[in-house]
Amino acid sequence: MISEKMTKQLNKQINEELFSSYLYLSMSAYFADESLDGFAHWMMKQSQEEYEHGMKIFGYLTDIGAKVELDKIDKPELKWKSAEDAFKAALKHEIHITDCINKLTDLAYEEKDHATRGFLAWFVQEQVEEVSSATAIVDKFKMVGENKTALYMLDRELGSRA
Ligand code: OFO
């Protein structure tokens, strides 16, 4: 049986995931405003993924008969200094989320809650991907530098995200 503490922490993680969705949606709006439509598209997709992450936890809690308690979602930043700055902020955020998932996993081990530990394994792997893809994009920005043509090409590349 899931503990109250674990239920509370999973509810908190729903909020973290929904905030992630909101943050990337805000980044998508920022990029659309800057006419960087490829980056806007990438962030929109990312936002949708984050919503699904939140819903995965929602589904787990309801499946095991634990209580879902939604909280208010913080207001995200609305502007960044540059496209590179926004992606750096996204990477920093994913490192934070990885930390949250690791702490949840630690708690599941501590409480010998094997069902929740198994459930969280998917998130542990997902975070490896999330951090790796954000790092790869930040690295590409370093190569682009001040080159506008290269920025245009990167925008196009990210616009092809399925
Ligand atoms: Fe949900 O993985 Fe990003 O935040």
Side-chain angles (χ1 to χ4, degrees), residues 34-95:
E34 298 284 311
S35 301
L36 290 163
D37 295 339
F39 298 155
H41 168 81
W42 194 94
M43 283 296 174
M44 181 64 78
K45 289 277 172 199
Q46 192 61 27
S47 173
Q48 288 162 358
E49 257 195 24
E50 298 299 350
Y51 176 78
E52 284 164 20
H53 294 171
M55 288 309 100
K56 236 182 210 302
I57 304 170
F58 182 105
Y60 176 67
L61 287 174
T62 53
D63 279 355
I64 61 169
K67 202 162 166 51
V68 170
E69 281 186 49
L70 299 178
D71 205 346
K72 69 173 188 306
I73 302 165
D74 286 343
K75 181 173 177 171
E77 299 275 308
L78 304 176
K79 270 184 154 217
W80 289 266
K81 279 186 286 183
S82 62
E84 181 175 7
D85 189 46
F87 275 96
K88 277 184 179 165
L91 172 59
K92 193 170 165 220
H93 183 69
E94 286 308 323
I95 292 169

Side-chain angles (χ1 to χ4, degrees), residues 13 16-17 20-21 24 46 49-51 53-54 90 93-94 97-98 101 122-123 126-127 130:
Q13 193 59 32
E16 289 278 2
E17 301 293 344
S20 304
S21 177
Y24 298 141
Q46 192 61 27
E49 257 195 24
E50 298 299 350
Y51 176 78
H53 294 171
H93 183 69
E94 286 308 323
I97 295 295
T98 298
I101 297 293
W122 182 88
F123 283 87
E126 177 68 9
Q127 280 315 118
E130 296 275 68

